[in-house]
Structures are given as structure tokens and as C-alpha cells.
Amino acid sequence: MNIFKRKVKKTVLVCCGTGCLANNSFEIYKGLKKKIEDLAVNVKVRPVVKATGCNGLCEKGPIVTILPDDVFYCGVKVTDVDEIVENTVLNNKVIERLLYFDSAKGKKVRSHKQSEFYRKQLKIALRNIGQIDPGNIDDYIERGGYSALRKVLFKMSPKGVISEVERSGLRGRGGAGFPAGLKWRQCAEMDNFPKYVVCNGDEGDPGAFMDRSIMEGDPHSILEGILIGAYAVGSEKGFIYIRDEYSLAIKNMTKAIEKAAERGFLGQNIMGKGFSFDIEIVRGGGAFVCGESTALMASIEGRVGEPRIKYIHSTEKGLWGQPTVLNNVETWANIPVIINKGAGWFSRIGSKGSRGTKVFSLVGKVRNTGLIEVPMGITLREIIFDIGGGIIGSGKFKAVQTGGPSGGCIPESLLGLGVDFDSLNEVGAMMGSGGMIVMDENTCMVEVARYYLKFLSEESCGKCIPCREGIKRMLEILEDMCTGKGREEDIELLLEISETVKEASLCGLGKTAPNPVITTIKYFRDEYLAHIKDRRCPAGICRELTVYYIDRDVCRGCGLCRKGCPTEAISGEIGSRFTIDTSKCIKCGSCKEICRLNAVKVLGGAAE
Amino acid sequence: MKVMIDGKKYDAEYGEYILNVARRNAVNIPALCHSDALPGQGNCRMCIVEIVDKGRKSIVASCAYPITGEIEIVTNSERIYRIRKTIVRLLSASAPDNEYINRLRKEYDIPPETRFKVDRDGKCILCGLCVRACDEIGVSAISTVNRGTTKRVSTPFDEPSTVCIGCGACAYICPTGTIEVNEDEGRRVIWNKTFELLKCSECGEYFITREQYEYIKKRYDLADTNELLCDKCKKKGIGDKLTNVLHNVIPVQK
Ligand SMILES: Cc1cc2nc3c(=O)[nH]c(=O)nc-3n(C[C@H](O)[C@H](O)[C@H](O)COP(=O)(O)O)c2cc1C
Ligand code: SF4
Ligand code: SF4
Ligand code: SF4
Ligand code: FES
Ligand code: FES
């Protein structure tokens, strides 16, 4: 099988994003490099080995891609290095074992671009990631990098840039979906200098890593976007706020800034066009609320990262009271493409009110987890069942949670929903920064609401009463429900407090915090009722609301369960039926795990 | 410019807060964290009102919302009342023994709390006025510490503050009477720090701490003077300056 074109220079891309690095991909990178260098004497064209940013399939990492033929290997180990070089790089032989298994097609595919995971995606913000070495500015330039900046400086007026971004329909990707062009226009219209531009790379949603991937894998695209924005609004100074844990992102962004300055893309009189701009990285302390725009600005100014009232827009009074444009990492990364390909091109992608694509981190009970970028308007079903490959294991889909900790849970009946800013809001969820967690039937929705409220209660800054006290009391009610102490009138009380927290809180955290509660009550009220009235947790998750018992018809009396029980709650004679003394049972589940015949059941729990 | 409040037209200056316009015209809006001297905190959210601005409806904190156009304001709709009532209920669950909050609870016709675990020692509603007052005086001895439900007001590391001048402005402005000030025999204890009190040279009553006196002297660049006059005996002199400092911060209210 010779699928390789001859005499084309080969490139070996080794994913060195955080996920793959954790699985030793740097050793693989070094191994491949050394092996090829050692062999160099015998090879006509010397392949290039590059360390790239995250490919979005971390779970299947480490990932190695060989170009131009696009052979895609996953789960690569250091011990595979020799074979990859000898077979695939030098002799054009594909190693079946390392190919990607496409669960939708039920077979292995050579290039993951042929897979369902990739086929429905469209990469704009993630266009270069996995394809370039983020540490090498030439890689970026080779793929058209900084040409948008050149175009803007040489051919476009600031006003022209703003109207291009406005016409593109780009809305902020950090959560609220505010039109980027309008924000820029508001700032440009202020004649109060200095002005600032800020990049929000705080990414506080637990489990989300879209912004991190862009900062790690394609830092120059963000810089270029910021430069274009700064030129448009008349700013000479920018800040990139990155949470402190993101060490690789900080490293790669720092290097990108150095390299861009060396090439004259940053600093005084850029490209000789009289535009000057400098940028600084600020490390964030990591509180979730610091991602909120006013808290973030307070933090940059060196004050406590707490939100403040913003009836006056940041575009008028932002950092140090000066006009400021703050956009999210992904928003900035879209800008160079919009300038190069035009507002017309961009606005034809996506849905009516939400143009372009959105990056999601798809996680939970789906087969393919990872980072995806899809045109807006794509249905939840396509995301979960085509790209995600459906539910993992034998379970059934139950809900998908979008929008981070204060997003909402969407039920099966709404899987046909086209995903965009407005449609998600309409069903009570939200876009947030793009977290998407798929849940199967073994998930208790009351527990889900409790879990998020717990997170939010710890992350609320505590400044305003509705958020601080409201979340605290909602959590108290949910904890009661999960332990069998819920009361009949609690659902109404939850909704009443929700209204107050949503309407009266000071910042976006409080205003969205009730979403997990409201949506689970709206779509899964039965489960609440089961917890309150029947003292039963249908999913079998809330420990106090389940009973373990042994099914007499299945038990053969082997006695294994008795050995496994830490509290001696199980009794019986070998060969006859065993029983559980519910007063002693602590519901640890050991017996259920041990029993080979699946005779241990959970009452109130889901069917196996 | 004109604004409509509860169906009536009133004059308002550009940039003026809704609450100020309402109060000037005797329209009552409850406010827990507002002081005319320290406006625009927006922490308690009791002062929320509904506004319609260019056809768009929203709920805003009237104490911090600047009027920049001809808007319509509703201060007492059923919805607003319901939300305020919930806020009071939430507060009273956390500070059931506080007189001030109890008064509010009764005003809103809320029965004593039975659903939630009540905190017996809770009093402070974290309105932030004390911290703002101390900042305004230029001392900044207290601040909020922690976040979320564990947030509270304290001195750094809960130690007696090295900078506190014992002026008592924080305690004076506190709507819930949370901050304890104990005075006897020429001593004042506040925030776990003991201060020596000085007497008014006219009437002979204790009225000012030594630190406070020194602070004011320094701040107003006053030459050493033996004259010390309390508020009541106000004549020209340092007592008057003191009144000014404090009255900049603490409006004559209560
Ligand atoms: C509690 C809270 C947390 C937020 N966290 C983030 C974040 O981590 N990253 C982000 O870009 N925006 C975050 N936002 C949204 C920002 O406030 C802001 O709207 C956004 O960064 C603006 O950029 P955009 O218009 O490009 O989306 C958060 C908002 C709230 C209320
Ligand atoms: S809504 Fe919550 S996080 Fe936001 S200011 Fe109020 S207390 Fe702080
Ligand atoms: S007594 Fe005065 S200086 Fe001390 S904390 Fe209170 S306001 Fe600040
Ligand atoms: S101590 Fe008093 S003034 Fe200070 S925050 Fe608490 S309630 Fe407000
Ligand atoms: S880090 Fe390699 S795929 Fe994400
Ligand atoms: S008085 Fe307006 S928020 Fe407290």
C-alpha cells in the first residue's frame, strides 16, 4: 500500500498540548527527532519534527500526525517511535494499530479528517492548532499569519476595520455574546486617551480548556487579533490576563510576544505605519469570578478581583477609568480570519443571530471527548451523536449541560436545538464559554444542581446579598433534598429565590447562578418530586435515598458479597440466599461490585 | 432632563443617581447600603427598581444607576416588592436576632424563619459602609476578607489594627449596629484595640481619641494647640475641623 506522494518534504507533528504532554509526548517528540537525526545520512529529504498545540483529542493522545499525507496516530508511546520512523516516515507504511478508531463508522481511519469527529467541524479559531509549532513565528507566518495586520495597516482605516467586524456579526465568545464590532465602535468614539485593549484568558470554568488550547497552540493569532483591535479603537497598550495555573499558555504567549516584537509586529511604529502598540501579560489568581470583566480589570489594576457595578460601559470607563475594550481569547483569534476572508465570508457561516463558529469542550459520557469547533446552529444531536459518537457504554442519553457552572441542563426532547447564543438562552441554558457536559441516565439531576450550586457558593465573591445569601440557601435546600430532608414547598421556594438571585444580583455570576436549578426543575421536576415525596433517588446516586438489596431470584449464595461488606450487614448460608440488613448497610456499594451475578440491586436506583 | 417615576414626571440632572432624584421628591425606595456621603456601592440590592430605557426593560440598583436619558422608572411593582421581600427574608435567616433586620422583616410581613438553619451570631449584612467610611477618612484600617459565604469585615489578620485611629466612624455608620464600641473612664475599645480618650477643653467631656486628634492635626496641618473642643462646644478650632472630617463621611442621618 503506497499512499504517499513521492519527494514531498515530510513533516511529523507531535502534539505537545497540556493533555499529551502529561502522557509523555515530549519524550516522543525528542525520540522522533533523535531517531530522524541519527538516520539523516541515509535519507534524501529530511523530515521536520514539530511540537504542536492541542489537537482537541487529548483523551486519545499522545497524537502524532505525519504530513502531507495526514496519517493520524493516537495513543502513541515512546516505544512506537522506531516503528513510526522506519515504517511510516521512511517507508510510507501505515501502522494500523495506531490509527484512530471512528466509532461512528465502526472502523479505523487513516486521517482523522475522515472521521465523524472531524467531518462536521469547521476550524476558524482553531485553524492552526496542531498544525504549527506555537514557538515558531515563521510557522504562523507561513500559514498567512500577520497578513491581516498588514492589510489593516496598509489598506484599511480604523473605521473600516470596525465596520468590517460589525458586518461580520462576530459576537464575543467569552459568554455574553456581546457584538464585538459594537463594543469596538463605542470605544473608538471616545476621545479620551490612553485607551486599553484586554484579552480575557482567565477561563475559570472547571473542565473548560478552549482558551488555554488557543493560547498554547496558536498564540500569534491572538496577538494579531489584539493588534488589529488596538489599531481600530486607537489603543497603544494591551493586557493579556491569564490564570496562573496555565503555565504552558503563559510560556507560549510570552515567547510569542518576544518573537512578534523582534519582527517588528509589536513596539513603536509597526510596519512603518505610525501605529505603536505594546502588550503585557498579567497572571490571574484563579478565582472564577476574576473572569468577570470588571473583576478582571480590578485585578489588573492591582485591586481585589471583585465585580463592580457597570452601568457605565468599560468602553467608556474601564481600566484606570479609561476607555477599554475587553474580549475573550477566542474572540480575538477570530479577528485575523475575518479581516483576511472578509465579513461576507464569515457571516455566511453559522445561524442568523450568531455568525461563525464556536469552540466547545465536549466531555462527559460521550465516546469522543475533546475540543471541537463547529458552525453555530449545528444541532445538539449532531454534536453529541455524530461528533461525540454517542453515549459511551450501554447507558441512555439524559441531559447535556452547557455554559459552565451556571449554565443549564437540556433534556433529550430538545436535542434538535440548533446551538447558538439565543437558542441556548431561550431554553434556560447559555453559551457561556463553551463547556458541554453530556450526562447519561445514571446522573441524578438534583445532585447535578446541588453540585453546581456548591461550586458557585464557593466562588461567589460575597459582595452582594442576593448572590451570597441566595446561593447559600438554595444550596441548603438542595442538600436537604439529596439527603431525604426535602419538603413539599421547597421547589416553589427554590424558584422564588432563583428569581431574586437572577434579577437582583450585581454581576453575571449571580445573575446566572440559578440556571442549573431552574432548568433541572423545568425539565426534570419528576426527579425532584421523587426525592421529596418518595424519598427516592431514581438515578441511585443520592446515598441516603437508596436501599441495597439482594435479588432472591438471582443470588446463588456464593457469599462473596458478605466478605466484601465492611459493616457485616450481609448474612446467609453458603448455598442459600443472602440478605442485606438495611439498618447496618452504609451503601458503600462493595457488594454490588463484587457480585458476579449482578444479584445486588439498588432500590430507587436506575435499572442496571 | 425629565424622568418618569411611578407615573409622575420629575427633573433630574444628567448623571444623577435614580435614588437621589427619588429621595429629593419624597419617593420612598428602601436602601441598606447607601449613604449620601458614600454613594454607588450597590451591594445590598434592596434599592432595585424597574426601568424602561429606549423600550428596553431591566432591573437596576437605583443607588448606582446614573440617569443619562429620559427613562421611565417603576419603584414599587409587585415584582420588585417580591424580590425585596426575598432579600429581607434571606437577610433575616442569616441575622435573625438583629433589631434592624427584624424591623425590616416585620415591615415586609415575613414570619420568623423556620425553613433554614439560622445563624445566631450573624449581624453584619456586609453592606460595606464601614469599609468605605474608613477608606474615605483615609485610614483604611478594615476591609472585607474571604469570599462568598465566609466573607466578613475585619482588620488585617484579625489583629488590632496598627493604623486604626479609633474614630468610630465605622460603628457610627453601620446600619445594623454590628461594630462594638465600648467606652469607659477615658478609654475606648474598638476592633480589639484600646484607645485613650481626650477631654474637651470647654466642657470637659471625653470625646476624641489621641490617635484621632493626631491624625486630624496632621491631615489639616494644624499647629500644636492645646485647645480641644468637642462637637457640642463647637467654636472655631480643631473641633470644627473634626466635625468637618467626619461629616464628610457621615451625613447627619439616623
Ligand atoms: C462569573 C463570570 C466569569 C467569567 N469568566 C470569564 C472567563 O473566564 N473568560 C472570559 O473570556 N469571559 C468570562 N466572563 C465574561 C466576561 O465578563 C466578558 O463578558 C467577556 O470576557 C467579554 O469578552 P467577549 O465579548 O469577547 O466575550 C465571565 C463572566 C462572569 C459573570
Ligand atoms: S453577584 Fe455574586 S459574584 Fe457578583 S458581585 Fe454579587 S456576590 Fe459578587
Ligand atoms: S474606628 Fe475609624 S479608623 Fe478605626 S476602623 Fe473604624 S473608621 Fe477606621
Ligand atoms: S459591620 Fe455594619 S457597616 Fe460594616 S459591612 Fe457590616 S453591616 Fe455594613
Ligand atoms: S494535548 Fe494533545 S490532543 Fe490535547
Ligand atoms: S442601596 Fe442600592 S444596592 Fe444597597
Side-chain angles (χ1 to χ4, degrees), chain A residues 15-21 25 52-63 209 212-213 216:
Chain A
C15 183
C16 286
T18 301
C20 289
L21 278 180
S25 71
T52 71
C54 174
N55 279 271
L57 272 168
C58 307
E59 196 209 20
K60 303 217 160 46
I63 282 163
F209 56 108
R212 189 190 75 199
S213 293
E216 289 177 0

Side-chain angles (χ1 to χ4, degrees), chain B residues 32-60:
Chain B
L32 306 184
C33 73
H34 176 85
S35 146
D36 288 332
L38 308 168
Q41 299 210 93
N43 293 346
C44 75
R45 321 304 288 175
M46 271 298 275
C47 68
I48 49 161
V49 294
E50 281 179 284
I51 62 163
V52 186
D53 188 1
K54 298 185 198 89
R56 274 195 49 207
K57 263 193 176 173
S58 53
I59 290 184
V60 301

Side-chain angles (χ1 to χ4, degrees), chain B residues 105-205:
Chain B
R105 180 173 65 72
K106 285 178 192 140
E107 198 181 307
Y108 281 83
D109 214 8
I110 302 167
E113 190 55 60
T114 54
R115 173 63 188 86
F116 301 117
K117 295 182 200 101
V118 293
D119 305 329
R120 281 293 154 205
D121 48 350
K123 256 189 178 182
C124 171
I125 58 170
L126 286 168
C127 69
L129 281 174
C130 52
V131 176
R132 276 286 299 280
C134 191
D135 280 345
E136 207 74 12
I137 291 167
V139 175
S140 297
I142 48 177
S143 63
T144 53
V145 292
N146 302 340
R147 66 168 183 247
T149 46
T150 57
K151 200 184 190 83
R152 60 199 172 82
V153 176
S154 187
T155 51
F157 309 107
D158 295 331
E159 301 278 336
S161 155
T162 49
V163 292
C164 176
I165 56 173
C167 67
C170 51
Y172 186 84
I173 203 165
C174 174
T176 61
T178 299
I179 301 168
E180 279 180 35
V181 195
N182 290 312
E183 266 175 37
D184 85 308
E185 314 224 344
R187 307 217 171 277
R188 175 184 292 170
V189 182
I190 183 167
W191 292 111
N192 286 326
K193 188 174 173 185
T194 308
F195 296 88
E196 178 199 348
L197 286 170
L198 304 179
K199 281 181 180 157
C200 171
S201 41
E202 188 82 10
C203 66
E205 272 185 40

Side-chain angles (χ1 to χ4, degrees), chain A residues 286-289 306 309 311-312 316 457-466 468-470 472-474 476-481 485-487 489-490 493 496-497 499-501 503-507 511, chain B residues 14 32 40-46 48 59-66 79 82-84 86-87 89-91 93-95 113-119 124-127 144 146-151:
Chain A
F288 176 64
V289 79
E306 274 179 7
I309 284 203
Y311 296 130
I312 299 167
E316 192 180 332
S457 76
E458 281 159 9
E459 296 301 325
S460 156
C461 83
K463 186 171 174 157
C464 71
I465 296 171
R468 183 184 71 237
E469 302 295 328
K472 170 173 156 186
R473 296 308 176 183
M474 285 199 280
E476 188 179 333
I477 296 174
L478 290 165
E479 279 173 345
D480 280 352
M481 288 179 172
K485 291 182 295 232
R487 307 181 189 184
E489 59 289 359
D490 277 352
L493 183 54
E496 190 183 311
I497 301 177
E499 181 193 31
T500 296
V501 178
E503 299 295 348
S505 288
L506 189 155
C507 87
K511 284 184 192 304
Chain B
Y14 183 92
L32 306 184
Q41 299 210 93
N43 293 346
C44 75
R45 321 304 288 175
M46 271 298 275
I48 49 161
I59 290 184
V60 301
S62 64
C63 69
Y65 190 92
R79 185 151 165 247
R82 192 168 63 230
I83 293 174
R84 284 189 191 137
T86 306
I87 293 176
R89 173 167 182 193
L90 289 168
L91 275 180
S94 282
E113 190 55 60
T114 54
R115 173 63 188 86
F116 301 117
K117 295 182 200 101
V118 293
D119 305 329
C124 171
I125 58 170
L126 286 168
C127 69
T144 53
N146 302 340
R147 66 168 183 247
T149 46
T150 57
K151 200 184 190 83

Side-chain angles (χ1 to χ4, degrees), chain A residues 90-161:
Chain A
L90 299 181
N91 290 310
N92 298 339
K93 266 198 274 177
V94 172
I95 308 165
E96 276 293 312
R97 167 172 52 87
L98 297 175
L99 288 179
Y100 176 79
F101 180 79
D102 182 11
S103 50
K105 290 188 172 167
K107 61 172 193 184
K108 296 212 164 191
V109 288
R110 183 170 57 85
S111 156
H112 89 308
K113 287 189 182 142
Q114 299 165 344
S115 70
E116 287 294 327
F117 182 78
Y118 205 95
R119 220 170 43 79
K120 293 213 164 167
Q121 296 199 46
L122 175 63
K123 307 238 174 183
I124 298 178
L126 304 180
R127 61 195 176 279
N128 293 324
I129 297 175
Q131 309 291 313
I132 64 168
D133 173 356
N136 187 342
I137 190 170
D138 290 318
D139 259 24
Y140 180 67
I141 293 172
E142 224 168 79
R143 287 176 62 100
Y146 290 109
S147 60
L149 177 65
R150 182 174 300 272
K151 178 172 173 184
V152 159
L153 292 183
F154 283 81
K155 296 201 185 123
M156 294 171 84
S157 65
K159 280 208 173 96
V161 176

Side-chain angles (χ1 to χ4, degrees), chain A residues 32 73 83-84 112 127 242 252 257 299 301 340 351 365 378 417 436 480 490 563:
Chain A
L32 283 165
Y73 289 150
E83 206 181 340
I84 292 177
H112 89 308
R127 61 195 176 279
I242 312 177
N252 290 1
I257 291 172
S299 177
E301 290 172 17
N340 273 332
S351 63
K365 296 290 173 58
I378 188 172
L417 189 78
M436 201 173 265
D480 280 352
D490 277 352
K563 280 195 201 132

